[in-house]
Amino acid sequence: MASLRVLRTFLAVAAEGSFSAASHRVALTQAAVGLQMRTLEDDLKRKLFTRSGKLVSLNEQGRALVPVATQIVALYEQARQGTQADAPLAGTVQFGAIVSGLSQLVRATLELKRRHPAVDLHVVSGKSSQLVAQVENRELDAAVVVHNPALHRPTLAWTPLYEEPMVLLTPSSSRAAAPRAMVERYPFIRFNRNEHTGELVERTLRRLRAKPQEFLELNSIEAIVELVREGLGVAMLPRLVQRTWDDDPLLRVLPVQQATESRSIALVQLRTAPRAEIIGAVSQQFLAALGATRQQE
């Protein structure tokens, strides 16, 4: 059975994007990190990484393990603290979130505020790159953002929260076909390719070898979904955790079997964050609320 230390190392690799960077975070040699990850794969009897020379990235199985490992470690920390977990928290914390994670973060902060009235929590929304910059500049204490390895800094710590696989969203009135055919048959509404989510869209299209009918490029998932709902085109998007597109009679959600890309959502904070105990409590409440929501679905 995998130890908590191995799971923490796995989460460090998931957050940092390499064995080398993770080794600094968990105070191990790169070789020791690699050995722990091979032990974890042997224990689970499945590969978690795609290896290409010295480059290592999470595969589909690895991405699926991230939220499970995060919850296991969080639950252990809560149990280890014992009565300290119920000790009152106090202080003011500024949080940020991308639009798709905003409602879940607000629920988490409200629940923590209910349990700890002396905690003063403020939440704002924005783009991931802007929110990360605000965390670096100490304008925010932490933020729920799209995890982009290009934004890694030695001063930042990343806590994986959940994964959103790429799907093709089409109007329900459109004639059903394979994703590649749909992309080439109907006007394509693209997410801003300058954002990390847009990069994931582009990589998925390349894997499909699809040549979309370029129609419109926007920086809002909600706006894109609304245009698809109105029958104006199709879109490649991350399948948002908190949206029930499958239940919408005007939409069709098509899995993309060739897509190995997923959008990773993570909590980012400074490694030296002064209110780490409150940030950690909000993170645990966020995951608990997310787990409860999934059980209800």
Side-chain angles (χ1 to χ4, degrees):
M1 178 179 179
S3 69
L4 284 162
R5 185 178 185 185
V6 171
L7 290 178
R8 287 194 180 96
T9 302
F10 168 75
L11 291 175
V13 173
E16 300 292 349
S18 73
F19 288 178
S20 176
S23 67
H24 298 292
R25 180 166 176 173
V26 296
L28 292 172
T29 65
Q30 182 175 341
V33 170
L35 178 60
Q36 284 193 7
M37 295 304 94
R38 285 193 293 273
T39 300
L40 180 60
E41 288 180 320
D42 290 342
D43 187 40
L44 297 178
K45 295 180 174 57
R46 59 180 179 269
K47 296 295 183 182
L48 303 173
F49 304 95
T50 298
R51 294 172 172 85
S52 177
K54 294 184 178 180
L55 298 178
V56 176
S57 60
L58 290 178
N59 61 20
E60 185 177 355
Q61 298 281 359
R63 290 192 295 269
L65 180 61
V66 168
V68 177
T70 302
Q71 286 184 310
I72 290 173
V73 172
L75 287 171
Y76 173 77
E77 288 299 326
Q78 185 176 349
R80 186 177 64 84
Q81 292 172 12
T83 56
Q84 294 181 6
D86 296 323
L89 297 174
T92 300
V93 177
Q94 305 284 344
F95 276 95
I98 54 174
V99 173
S100 64
L102 188 61
S103 62
Q104 196 70 26
L105 180 61
V106 169
R107 291 189 185 97
T109 56
L110 289 176
E111 175 59 23
L112 192 67
K113 175 71 174 177
R114 184 187 66 79
R115 291 163 45 200
H116 301 278
V119 170
D120 189 16
L121 302 168
H122 300 270
V123 179
V124 299
S125 65
K127 298 178 183 178
S128 288
S129 56
Q130 295 172 339
L131 294 172
V132 172
Q134 287 178 286
V135 170
E136 286 188 289
N137 295 332
R138 299 182 184 274
E139 298 170 22
L140 295 174
D141 293 289
V144 174
V145 299
V146 176
H147 179 217
N148 182 356
L151 299 179
H152 277 206
R153 310 283 190 274
T155 56
L156 297 176
W158 299 79
T159 301
L161 295 174
Y162 56 89
E163 300 278 325
E164 296 175 329
M166 302 300 292
V167 297
L168 183 66
L169 200 63
T170 76
S172 59
S173 58
S174 61
R175 190 173 59 186
R180 177 179 175 178
M182 297 290 283
V183 167
E184 296 180 339
R185 179 185 301 162
Y186 296 99
F188 187 74
I189 307 171
R190 183 188 286 272
F191 191 88
N192 186 348
R193 69 191 78 200
N194 292 323
E195 297 290 330
H196 185 58
T197 300
E199 294 174 1
L200 295 177
V201 170
E202 179 60 24
R203 291 209 291 264
T204 303
L205 290 172
R206 288 177 183 172
R207 290 182 184 277
L208 279 175
R209 297 184 179 181
K211 297 180 180 179
Q213 293 187 37
E214 301 286 355
F215 168 53
L216 191 63
E217 188 166 326
L218 298 174
N219 198 34
S220 167
I221 290 180
E222 295 298 339
I224 292 174
V225 172
E226 187 57 35
L227 291 175
V228 174
R229 184 180 285 114
E230 292 178 12
L232 299 179
V234 302
M236 192 76 69
L237 295 170
R239 186 172 195 150
L240 302 185
V241 169
Q242 297 300 313
R243 302 295 185 272
T244 54
W245 293 340
D246 290 293
D247 298 331
D248 191 320
L250 298 179
L251 295 175
R252 179 188 293 119
V253 182
L254 298 179
V256 183
Q257 300 297 334
Q258 298 91 333
T260 58
E261 304 288 349
S262 287
R263 189 170 80 157
S264 300
I265 306 301
L267 181 78
V268 63
Q269 66 188 87
L270 290 174
R271 293 186 185 278
T272 57
R275 303 170 185 83
E277 72 285 354
I278 298 178
I279 296 171
V282 171
S283 176
Q284 290 183 20
Q285 188 59 49
F286 186 103
L287 288 168
L290 184 63
T293 300
R294 284 173 169 171
Q295 288 179 357
Q296 293 172 3
E297 292 178 351

